[in-house]
Amino acid sequence: GATLTNDRNGKANSAYNFNGDQQFIRIPNSLELHNIGQSMTISAWVTVKEWYLGAWGAVACKATAGKPHFQFQLYFDGKDGSFATDGRLNNKSKFKMDLGKWYHLVLMIDGKTRRYFVNGELIGVETDLPFIEPDYSPLEFGRDFYAVTEFHIGALDDIRIYNRTLSLSEINALYKADN
């Protein structure tokens, strides 16, 4: 599994390091994760040390391999950050990632609307999307196994999952906390 490392503030053993070689964290499916309902927020601090296979980085994925859709996914494609939900990549949410720099990422699902935040700033909104379908798969951090398996090379810190949407002030507070 992932190993403990320094967090974004330099505190020892407070974040998880992923070396890109079969390291990931798996949270088994549960009633709360099976059907996330109409609202959810996932928040994490992320840094990339290098790109997996030259261009990839997986942060979080809840999917069943081979299914046409997944619940949600957060990964890096072509050295840009990108958010995806229910089998759809949101090209409006692309953002530049610099190696070794920490980023605060938030994916907020509110019914048929998705909001994407980087470092407290809203960078993309999608509306009129399908509701997130229930899924029996586990939630994994550091590995994306939806179509082709990719791993994360870097660290994740302060991962949070909420069963509701957060307010803009709550997202801003998460970004500014210990930053």
Side-chain angles (χ1 to χ4, degrees), residues 103-120:
Y103 293 86
H104 181 240
L105 307 179
V106 175
L107 164 62
M108 190 162 50
I109 299 169
D110 185 9
K112 292 185 170 194
T113 301
R114 315 291 188 267
R115 290 181 177 82
Y116 313 97
F117 297 83
V118 176
N119 294 339

Side-chain angles (χ1 to χ4, degrees), residues 13-14 16 18-19 50 66 74 76-77 100 116 133 144 156 162-163 177:
N13 299 318
S14 296
Y16 289 99
F18 301 84
N19 68 6
E50 67 179 88
L74 178 56
F76 307 111
D77 172 7
Y116 313 97
E133 295 292 327
D144 171 6
L156 303 178
Y162 300 88
N163 63 355

Side-chain angles (χ1 to χ4, degrees), residues 10-63:
K11 185 177 177 187
N13 299 318
S14 296
Y16 289 99
N17 184 65
F18 301 84
N19 68 6
D21 186 21
Q22 303 293 321
Q23 287 187 325
F24 59 94
I25 297 171
R26 174 179 280 166
I27 300 172
N29 189 50
S30 65
L31 182 60
E32 292 82 10
L33 289 174
H34 167 68
N35 187 3
I36 62 172
Q38 301 306 315
S39 59
M40 174 203 150
T41 304
I42 185 167
S43 164
W45 281 91
V46 179
T47 186
V48 176
K49 291 180 184 170
E50 67 179 88
W51 301 106
Y52 182 77
L53 298 178
W56 302 98
V59 177
C61 182
K62 181 156 177 22

Side-chain angles (χ1 to χ4, degrees), residues 67-135:
K67 270 183 72 175
H69 294 289
F70 47 82
Q71 277 193 310
F72 57 87
Q73 183 180 45
L74 178 56
Y75 71 103
F76 307 111
D77 172 7
K79 301 179 183 166
D80 289 323
S82 198
F83 294 86
T85 60
D86 194 38
R88 292 165 179 81
L89 173 63
N90 177 11
N91 291 321
K92 296 176 186 173
S93 70
K94 288 207 178 262
F95 58 97
K96 181 71 178 145
M97 294 282 302
D98 293 324
L99 295 178
K101 183 176 177 182
W102 283 96
Y103 293 86
H104 181 240
L105 307 179
V106 175
L107 164 62
M108 190 162 50
I109 299 169
D110 185 9
K112 292 185 170 194
T113 301
R114 315 291 188 267
R115 290 181 177 82
Y116 313 97
F117 297 83
V118 176
N119 294 339
E121 299 285 325
L122 179 67
I123 64 160
V125 177
E126 281 188 301
T127 59
D128 201 31
L129 294 178
F131 290 110
I132 301 295
E133 295 292 327
D135 186 288

